[in-house]
């Protein structure tokens, strides 16, 4: 009997302990809920809404700013953005797609060269920046704006199959000779177009401009007509005389074309023979169409006399053909 009472007492103690644990858990849960409620209440007091916290509305800061031209009462142009503010010292793209620049005072320049970020642009009469076009300035000078609006400088450019040279000051070269940034010589006509791929004369002197526009200098060139010419170190084409290059003899016609590949009679009545390269035969016996001739040290074919070459003597007849040969 005593053992049964002892066992019953142990069971009651276990039940009381379990009940106490349940009460404690419920209390903690209530305290936590109260704390959360206080936190939510505090956030509400600060004016923060749940959807504003989770999904912030950034549409205002993400909106694209656009630009348009505004005309002042005095006729000056300004650039206004879509927020109602004016633009200062900025290059922008207008709503219509044109480039436009506003200076430090917010004014849009017109008919003048402007500088921005170390680059030059040309503002046209309507205030827009020139793009991929030639522009004539008030003083008559011409400039060319590339596809990004920057003005060409110190380089040759092509437009509609024609070539031009923009100087270091961005003005197109016109009506004269100019030395390019790369050291080439070019010649620009009155409208700025460079002479290219042909011969031309200036003050009685002949020149040849290559397809690039660069004038041939100190070199041989084949012209647009297939003739071979030689330009000296000044760019002048050698004409109507004999000359030497690297100790080889050549003769140029009045047109500047070299005598090549055949026998020729000069205005003086003297005869010469030129190889295909233009080099003249000199101090040598040579054969043309089965006949032999002798050209002296000046390149002229000898006639009516004996000449000695090596161990042989040759007689050059009146026709300049060699008719007799003797071994010495």
């Amino acid at each position: 009997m005593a053992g049964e009472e002892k066992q019953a007492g142990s069971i009651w103690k276990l039940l009381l302990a379990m009940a106490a644990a349940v009460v404690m858990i419920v209390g903690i849960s209530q305290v936590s809920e109260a704390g959360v409620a206080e936190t939510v209440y505090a956030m509400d007091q600060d004016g923060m809404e749940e959807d504003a916290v989770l999904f912030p509305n950034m549409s205002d800061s993400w909106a694209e700013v656009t630009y348009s031209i505004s005309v002042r009462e005095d006729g000056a142009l300004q650039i206004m953005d879509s927020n109602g503010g004016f633009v200062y010292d900025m290059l922008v793209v207008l709503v219509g797609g044109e480039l436009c620049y506003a200076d430090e005072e917010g004014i849009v320049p017109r008919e003048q060269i402007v500088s921005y970020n170390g680059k030059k642009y040309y503002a046209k009469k309507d205030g827009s920046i020139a793009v991929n076009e030639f522009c004539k300035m008030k003083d008559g000078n011409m400039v060319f704006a590339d596809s990004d609006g920057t003005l060409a400088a110190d380089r040759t450019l092509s437009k509609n199959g024609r070539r031009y040279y923009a100087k270091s000051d961005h003005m197109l070269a016109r009506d004269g000779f100019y030395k390019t940034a790369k050291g080439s010589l070019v010649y620009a006509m009155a409208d700025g177009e460079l002479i290219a791929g042909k011969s031309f004369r200036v003050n009685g002197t002949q020149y040849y401009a290559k397809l690039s526009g660069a004038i041939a200098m100190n070199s041989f060139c084949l012209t647009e007509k297939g003739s071979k010419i030689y330009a000296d170190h000044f760019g002048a084409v050698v004409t109507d005389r004999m000359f030497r290059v690297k100790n080889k003899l050549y003769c140029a016609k009045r047109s500047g074309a070299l005598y090549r590949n055949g026998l020729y009679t000069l205005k003086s009545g003297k005869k010469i023979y030129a190889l295909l390269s233009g080099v003249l035969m000199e101090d040598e016996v040579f054969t043309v169409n089965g006949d032999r001739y002798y050209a002296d040290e000046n390149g002229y074919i000898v006639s009516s006399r004996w000449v000695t070459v090596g161990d042989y003597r040759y007689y050059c007849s009146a026709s300049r053909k060699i008719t007799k040969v003797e071994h010495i």
Side-chain angles (χ1 to χ4, degrees), residues 298-311:
N298 296 314
Y300 299 121
I301 298 175
V302 174
S303 66
S304 303
R305 66 184 177 91
W306 286 90
V307 297
T308 300
V309 180
D311 296 333

Side-chain angles (χ1 to χ4, degrees), residues 152-257:
D154 274 337
R155 67 179 178 88
T156 302
L157 57 100
S158 297
K159 184 71 173 176
N160 298 327
R162 299 179 178 182
R163 300 185 72 82
Y164 303 83
Y165 182 71
K167 300 182 293 181
S168 58
D169 62 358
H170 306 282
M171 309 301 170
L172 294 188
R174 298 171 65 191
D175 202 20
F177 289 100
Y178 292 88
K179 191 172 184 179
T180 70
K182 294 182 177 180
S184 299
L185 189 67
V186 296
Y187 186 84
M189 295 184 285
D191 62 355
E193 182 183 354
L194 299 184
I195 294 178
K198 63 180 180 179
S199 298
F200 64 99
R201 287 184 177 272
V202 176
N203 297 327
T205 301
Q206 185 171 329
Y207 301 87
Y208 180 74
K210 295 182 279 188
L211 289 174
S212 64
I215 293 173
M217 299 178 69
N218 203 31
S219 63
F220 291 97
C221 287
L222 287 176
T223 71
E224 71 282 4
K225 295 180 179 180
S227 300
K228 188 174 183 178
I229 61 170
Y230 180 78
D232 65 19
H233 60 285
F234 293 112
V237 174
V238 176
T239 60
D240 203 24
R241 66 181 176 88
M242 286 184 172
F243 62 97
R244 288 187 180 274
V245 176
K246 296 182 179 179
N247 205 35
K248 292 183 178 181
L249 189 62
Y250 300 84
C251 187
K253 303 175 186 177
R254 187 175 182 181
S255 65

Side-chain angles (χ1 to χ4, degrees), residues 254-276:
R254 187 175 182 181
S255 65
L258 300 184
Y259 289 100
R260 300 168 67 199
N261 197 31
L263 286 166
Y264 295 92
T265 302
L266 304 180
K267 290 185 298 182
S268 63
K270 295 180 178 181
K271 284 185 176 289
I272 59 173
Y273 182 79
L275 300 175
L276 181 61

Side-chain angles (χ1 to χ4, degrees), residues 94-168:
L94 301 178
V95 173
E98 302 91 348
L99 275 177
C100 197
Y101 171 75
D103 63 20
E104 293 85 351
E105 297 180 357
I107 303 301
V108 174
R110 289 187 277 187
E111 293 186 282
Q112 61 181 278
I113 291 177
V114 298
S115 299
Y116 179 70
N117 278 353
K119 297 180 180 180
K120 300 286 187 180
Y121 301 83
Y122 184 73
K124 299 190 291 185
K125 191 173 184 178
D126 63 359
S128 65
I129 296 297
V131 174
N132 197 29
E133 61 183 302
F134 291 99
C135 292
K136 189 173 185 178
M137 303 176 65
K138 288 182 177 180
D139 60 4
N141 280 310
M142 299 284 292
V143 294
F144 179 77
D146 284 319
S147 57
D148 63 352
T150 56
L151 296 184
D154 274 337
R155 67 179 178 88
T156 302
L157 57 100
S158 297
K159 184 71 173 176
N160 298 327
R162 299 179 178 182
R163 300 185 72 82
Y164 303 83
Y165 182 71
K167 300 182 293 181
S168 58

Side-chain angles (χ1 to χ4, degrees), residues 66-79:
T66 58
Y67 302 93
S68 58
I69 289 291
S70 174
V71 183
R72 296 196 323 192
E73 291 184 358
D74 61 2
L77 303 182
Q78 291 182 291
I79 301 175

